[in-house]
């Protein structure tokens, strides 16, 4: 059973062994498989993937062999195929785009999320076929609040890719791959900028001070006088929080370079990294697939206020994602507090914190970007912007020390 899937995994680079494969097959025969393709996905990954580093390879193999990673919701699985191959849409003029942006902000300010979700579930139950255009059904190219590749100012995107960046929730979206930490090219300048964060302090075991020994011995007319001093170690502890997927996809390579440079910095006392999508709520994640949750409260408990925090993201999201309870864009995730409250708590606990934005500064005119800029000093994710961010962190440290 599924023998072709085994070879597809090996083809994609997943180091799956015969023993692991037989264990997977045995689990299926013993009834662990509950007839859901999504359930099969998680069983397969649990038995056949040794490390998170192979999650993306597994996703690609699963997608090719089984025809896509589906959600547990049967109705959503049903409509995904209806949203493929959208018709060519006429481009909007600059004036129409500007008008759409205004409507989007106004709509999302007054959004009733519970009512939107109720209507979405109702459409899922009632819809029997594909729809293109229109303003009611889950389809493509229309003004309905549900579907993909349409022009609604704040609906629920089902599958597909971000088109007008106006969705307030996303259902049936493919998982993300982790940032690589093995990039070497183009990271040297980033490393040089990050090195300015180092704060060398005398601590730890004593070591021989060669220059001091020579000077002291000379003063003693050649009689050897050994001089020791405590070693100088970097005391900086850095936390990197990275937005992933969606509107951040065009900046993946740039973020990979930053992550690669930071993870290779041997001079930091400690380096931690976590992921989020669009906004931070009660959890951050140790992987981009958002499987390994870490409560945000745990960051406050485990890391003192001396840690330096760099947040990377475009800060653009639906109004509800930042300001509303249960406004998270993930259809299957609920947030008990608005995202802006969590961001303010992060800033309060970690005063040495900055926000790096990969989008050019002249695109920052957005309600959520403006709100986040009032919480964190925001800089462009360019070499100059990174240097400014590091200078701000250093300046903040000096102010506190004084």
């Amino acid at each position: 059973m599924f023998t072709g899937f085994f070879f597809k995994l090996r083809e994609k680079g997943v180091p799956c062994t015969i023993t692991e494969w037989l264990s997977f097959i045995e689990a299926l025969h013993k009834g662990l498989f509950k007839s859901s393709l999504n359930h099969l996905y998680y069983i397969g990954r649990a038995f056949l993937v040794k490390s998170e580093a192979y999650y993306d390879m597994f996703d690609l193999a699963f997608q090719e062999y089984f025809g896509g990673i589906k959600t547990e919701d049967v109705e959503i699985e049903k409509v995904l195929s209806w949203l493929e191959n959208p018709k060519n849409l006429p481009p909007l003029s600059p004036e129409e785009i500007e008008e759409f942006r205004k409507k989007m902000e106004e709509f999302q300010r007054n959004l009733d999320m519970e009512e939107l979700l109720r209507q979405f579930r109702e459409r899922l139950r009632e819809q029997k076929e594909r729809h293109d255009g229109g303003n009611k059904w889950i389809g493509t190219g229309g003004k309905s609040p549900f579907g993909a590749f349409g022009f609604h100012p704040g609906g629920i995107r089902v599958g597909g890719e971000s088109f007008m960046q106006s969705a307030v929730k996303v259902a049936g979206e493919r998982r993300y791959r982790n940032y690589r930490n093995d990039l070497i090219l183009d990271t040297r300048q980033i490393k040089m900028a990050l090195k300015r964060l180092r704060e060398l302090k005398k601590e730890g075991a004593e070591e021989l001070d060669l220059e001091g020994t020579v000077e002291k011995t000379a003063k003693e007319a050649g009689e050897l006088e050994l001089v020791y001093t405590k070693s100088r170690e970097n005391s900086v502890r850095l936390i990197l929080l990275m937005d992933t997927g969606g509107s951040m996809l065009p900046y993946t390579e740039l973020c990979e370079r930053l992550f690669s440079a930071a993870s290779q910095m041997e001079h930091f006392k400690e380096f931690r990294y976590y992921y989020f999508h669009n906004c931070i709520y009660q959890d951050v994640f140790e992987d981009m697939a958002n499987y390994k949750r870490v409560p945000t409260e745990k960051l406050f408990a485990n890391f003192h206020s001396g840690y330096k925090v760099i947040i990377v993201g475009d800060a653009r999201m639906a109004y509800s994602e930042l300001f509303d309870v249960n406004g998270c864009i993930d259809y299957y995730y609920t947030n008990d507090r608005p995202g802006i409250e969590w961001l303010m708590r992060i800033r309060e606990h970690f005063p040495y914190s900055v926000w790096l934005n990969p989008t050019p500064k002249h695109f920052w005119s957005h309600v959520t970007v403006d709100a986040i800029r009032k919480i964190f000093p925001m800089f462009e994710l360019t070499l100059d912007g990174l240097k400014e961010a590091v200078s701000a962190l250093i300046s903040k440290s000096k102010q506190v020390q004084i």
Side-chain angles (χ1 to χ4, degrees), residues 229-271:
T229 183
K230 287 196 173 184
S231 61
R232 289 162 59 83
E233 296 182 3
N234 186 15
S235 62
V236 168
R237 293 172 168 86
L238 176 66
I239 298 175
L240 187 61
L241 302 174
M242 296 168 285
D243 186 4
T244 62
S247 59
M248 286 293 291
L249 286 178
Y251 309 105
T252 296
E253 184 177 354
L254 180 59
C255 292
E256 282 182 335
R257 292 173 184 169
L258 174 64
F259 174 65
S260 182
S263 63
Q264 295 172 27
M265 291 290 291
E266 300 175 354
H267 301 292
F268 288 149
K269 182 81 172 181
E270 186 177 356
F271 171 62

Side-chain angles (χ1 to χ4, degrees), residues 294-334:
V294 177
T296 308
E297 293 281 2
K298 195 171 182 178
L299 298 189
F300 303 148
N302 291 355
F303 307 126
H304 58 71
S305 59
Y307 278 75
K308 290 178 170 59
V309 174
I310 297 177
I311 306 176
V312 182
D314 61 6
R316 291 178 67 95
M317 63 196 80
Y319 183 90
S320 56
E321 289 181 78
L322 187 61
F323 294 104
D324 291 353
V325 172
N326 295 332
C328 176
I329 194 169
D330 186 346
Y331 180 74
Y332 300 100
Y333 186 90
T334 58

Side-chain angles (χ1 to χ4, degrees), residues 51 99 156 168 178 182 196 208 225-227 241 259-260 267 271 284 290 313 338 360 366 371 378 381 387 395:
S51 167
E99 182 64 24
I156 297 176
V168 295
N178 289 337
D182 59 346
R196 295 188 59 215
L208 180 64
E225 290 287 343
L226 298 178
V227 177
L241 302 174
F259 174 65
S260 182
H267 301 292
F271 171 62
V284 290
N290 290 2
H366 187 274
M378 186 175 290
L381 184 48
K387 290 178 179 178
S395 175

Side-chain angles (χ1 to χ4, degrees), residues 183-199:
L183 292 180
I184 302 297
L185 296 177
D186 302 321
T187 62
R188 181 177 178 275
Q189 290 179 312
I190 298 177
K191 283 185 180 181
M192 294 300 293
L194 291 176
K195 278 184 179 180
R196 295 188 59 215
L197 281 174
R198 291 182 300 174
E199 292 178 353

Side-chain angles (χ1 to χ4, degrees), residues 41-72:
Y41 166 81
Y42 287 110
I43 293 176
R45 204 185 65 178
F47 278 91
L48 304 174
V49 182
K50 298 181 178 69
S51 167
E52 296 89 342
Y54 302 111
Y55 277 175
D56 186 58
M57 301 173 188
F58 180 84
D59 280 6
L60 292 174
F62 195 96
Q63 184 177 18
E64 287 189 19
Y65 189 82
F66 292 103
I69 302 169
K70 310 297 184 181
T71 68
E72 292 181 352

Side-chain angles (χ1 to χ4, degrees), residues 15 88 90 98 102 123 138 181 196 206-207 220 244 262-263 278 282 382:
N88 292 328
E98 180 61 27
K102 291 179 180 178
R123 301 292 190 280
I138 304 171
N181 63 359
R196 295 188 59 215
E206 290 189 340
E207 60 185 20
E220 296 297 329
T244 62
S263 63
N278 281 10
Q282 66 266 22
T382 61

